[in-house]
Amino acid sequence: MKPAEIADGVFFVHSEMVNWVLLTDGDAVTVIDTGYPGQRGEVEESIRAIGRDPHDIEAVLITHAHVDHIGSAQYLAETYRAPVLVHPAEAAHARRECHEVATPWDVLSNIGRPGVLSWAMKLVRLGGTAKYGIDSPTPMPVNGALTCPGAPVPVLVPGHTSGHTVYHLPDHGVVISGDALITGHPTSPLSGPQLLPQWLNHYYGTAAVSLDIIGELGADILLPGHGPIHRGSVAEAAATARERASLTLSRSGPTRGSACRPGNLPG
């Protein structure tokens, strides 16, 4: 998982199960998403691979508080004194005061779909069933660029979770999209721009609408939370995903409720 330098100071780390991004300014590092709990060594090694030290982490940013994106966040905060920033709308979810995630029943109900069983087995091996959150996430400013390496601009795109946030790097034409727009996933038969399968989103219909927000960001490189890099118009990628989501909704309609569910469930 050698980090790929996409633009000056922008590094993309792609793994089979989930991706993360490193932004640099001199020696200082911003980490965007942190993989599963079982990948913390890989996160640290990816930082060393770009010539920095994990002690140089200035901030950890989270797109959303699912375990495959926050798995090393608490560890990085405790070990390297790095603040973990989340959108205010995602803070309660990050603290596990409520939860917006596929339940064990959702997984079992879909276990016969191609790819789901092998994905679930790998998830377990990487610590994906842990009751894992962030003790004291810092609600980030939501207007304008953040004052951390890379100066990413947070953009709220609810749907996958209530506070899901993408990060725009306007100077580089890059959008770091987390799970709001992906290009592949072990549980999906599709390749290219798409939403995660419907059962892995909390508000699938809202996630589809939020694709329009991503499309308006004027970028030509997409760094997704799952799947490979997409090079080309992000607006066109978002439109493709929206069309695919519309077909899904026309067949099944929207699912899930309208509130972050209380509880401390795995993942």
Side-chain angles (χ1 to χ4, degrees):
M1 291 188 294
K2 182 179 179 180
E5 188 166 14
I6 305 308
D8 186 26
V10 181
F11 298 86
F12 180 65
V13 186
H14 173 59
S15 76
E16 178 188 12
M17 290 288 281
V18 71
N19 308 324
W20 58 90
V21 175
L22 307 173
L23 307 178
T24 62
D25 183 359
D27 289 335
V29 181
T30 297
V31 180
I32 300 182
D33 287 345
T34 67
Y36 282 94
Q39 293 181 298
R40 63 182 51 168
E42 295 168 8
V43 172
E44 291 173 310
E45 185 55 36
S46 70
I47 295 169
R48 297 187 184 100
I50 63 170
R52 273 68 174 185
D53 188 281
H55 289 92
D56 297 328
I57 299 172
E58 199 167 284
V60 176
L61 309 183
I62 299 302
T63 59
H64 65 292
H66 286 163
V67 71
D68 54 333
H69 296 263
I70 67 167
S72 300
Q74 184 67 27
Y75 168 79
L76 296 176
E78 293 174 350
T79 305
Y80 302 111
R81 300 183 182 276
V84 181
L85 279 66
V86 302
H87 193 282
E90 193 74 0
H93 189 198
R95 292 190 297 265
R96 291 301 185 255
E97 294 170 3
C98 63
H99 219 76
E100 296 182 344
V101 71
T103 65
W105 174 249
D106 291 324
V107 176
L108 289 173
S109 297
N110 289 277
I111 205 72
R113 295 178 182 270
V116 174
L117 178 59
S118 61
W119 165 78
M121 293 172 64
K122 292 173 184 175
L123 178 152
V124 171
R125 288 199 296 269
L126 290 171
T129 58
K131 294 182 178 179
Y132 200 84
I134 302 168
D135 291 347
S136 300
T138 300
M140 67 178 64
V142 295
N143 295 316
L146 301 175
T147 58
C148 57
V153 179
V155 180
L156 180 66
V157 286
H160 185 64
T161 65
S162 296
H164 192 295
T165 303
V166 302
Y167 296 96
H168 186 204
L169 307 178
D171 291 345
H172 297 298
V174 171
V175 172
I176 301 159
S177 60
D179 287 1
L181 174 57
I182 65 167
T183 59
H185 192 266
T187 65
S188 172
L190 303 175
S191 61
Q194 60 187 286
L195 294 179
L196 278 161
Q198 189 170 16
W199 60 279
L200 288 173
N201 287 274
H202 195 62
Y203 315 109
Y204 189 81
T206 304
V209 172
S210 287
L211 289 166
D212 293 343
I213 301 172
I214 298 173
E216 292 171 357
L217 295 178
D220 53 16
I221 298 175
L222 181 77
L223 304 182
H226 301 276
I229 298 168
H230 174 87
R231 297 182 184 273
S233 168
V234 172
E236 292 179 5
T240 297
R242 180 75 186 268
E243 182 177 355
R244 286 172 157 177
S246 295
L247 290 173
T248 297
L249 287 166
S250 70
R251 293 193 298 265
S252 62
T255 60
R256 298 197 184 278
S258 59
C260 186
R261 298 191 303 275
N264 189 15
L265 299 173

